[in-house]
Amino acid sequence: MLDALINALWILLDPFRLMMLFAGVAIGIAVGILPGLGGLMGMALVLPFLFGMDAYAGVALLIGIAAAVPSADTFPSVLMGIPGSSGSQATIMDGYPMARRGEAARALGAAFTASLIGGLIGALALSAVVPFARPLILAFGSPELFMLTLLGLSMIGVLSGNRPLKGMLAAVAGLALGTIGGAPVAAEYRFAGDFLYLYDGLSLVIVALGLFALPEIIDLLARGGAIAERSRGLGHGWVQGAKDTLHHKWLVVRHSIIGVAIGAIPGMGSSIIDWVNYGIAAQTSKDRSQFGKGDVRGVIAPESANNAKEGGVLMPTLLFGVPGSSAMAMLLAALMIFGVQPGPQMLTRDLDLVFVIIWSLALANVFGTLICLLLSKPISRLTFIPFQFIAPVIIVIVVVGAWQETRHWADLAFLLGFGLLGWIMKRAGMPRPPLLIGFILSGLAERYLWMSYNLYDWAWLLRPGVLTIGALAVFLVVGSVMLKRSTERSAEALQHADDKDEGQSAAEDKS
């Protein structure tokens, strides 16, 4: 195991692969500072360019994006009070008040330092899990692998936020779309008619680009103007912010561990992680009077957990082939492009690739933090460029990426079709990640179910591993729903308290 860890580092230090990691970090920072885009869109934009690329370089590019976004999305949260992504919402509670009183630099310094430490803890936790998981995973057969696909599908309700029924409908649509083309276990073609283009099935790249890239571009263009409406000075206090984080080192460690644990639960990820950690930090502090008014601990806790969660979400993604988050569905797609089967096989046939991912996660956090610190002022100004100047570049990347799939006119037609579908789903409040996850897991579920039945008849349902994973799926669904409801109540209570304090301050000013 140690030899594989060292060998993976040498593999990653290849100049081209290291350059791809840098490129991923740069893309992640650029995407992270633009509110509403997020790591999912960033990974979708580069997915078409992975064809023909070295697998190690490709995953370094994607992990660079995934690791850098949680650091960069702090900029709009602190400077503008706009969440850069769903994982940086709680940072606004104290980061934005600090910026309003001229302590933006201190808030950003604390956030970046906490993000760096949290990201490294996440990478360390992932590397520690691999040796223990390997013996267990080697005992997995097709029945257990089928149950793991069901485990991934069972978390769709969590990915659906407050709309579980709509999420289930989207997942069913994804499963149906995944059956188009050649059957994975029989020599037949389904729902393709005489259209040869569909014999290989729908392209994952085109589905992802259409669902996630085009709707965001359309909405931002329709809104008009710059992404941010006004600028605030950074002020001074970068060093003080780093000292604050080191002073609260046990707070960073505690919330990093919590971030890894929550991230390891498929589907939880960034949807609640910031509010959970913000609520815990506020409730366990002796002095909570400044929370919501500019307490640096309210920045440190969610930011350390937000970066540490990347190590957690990679655990089910790599070890079981179950996407730990919607962004990890993109990583699964990339692994399939490289001919790598996500799941237990990776710990035997592709162990070097697993450790390359771990090294990439650690180094990307270091590079991302340093770049954010060095380029804070110019990066913060990018959010005030009118989006109509940025949109053409992104549109060209999307169109070229889709066209590179097969260079058939149908590539662009289906891109527009899925773009329209994604826009309608967004307008209707129907979550899009469940559709993508259903599409990815469709073929795997069918293949493993066919193998399980042909090898064991219906006796596979009584295998201990199948029963254990089934019970785990039920536990995670019930537990995650209860945790989410508790977190929402905590966030509402904190917001209500903040609104009440602002009302009292306004009344005092009038008097």
Side-chain angles (χ1 to χ4, degrees), residues 133-196:
R134 189 176 183 182
L136 173 65
I137 288 175
L138 290 176
F140 276 37
S142 56
E144 288 78 15
L145 293 175
F146 171 70
M147 290 302 296
L148 287 175
T149 62
L150 291 188
L151 179 63
L153 290 171
S154 69
M155 299 311 298
I156 285 172
V158 178
L159 282 171
S160 306
N162 298 323
R163 307 175 184 90
L165 181 58
K166 291 183 177 180
M168 293 296 178
L169 291 175
V172 170
L175 289 170
L177 290 172
T179 62
I180 296 175
V185 294
E188 63 178 5
Y189 296 93
R190 303 168 299 191
F191 311 113
D194 296 327
F195 193 17
L196 292 177

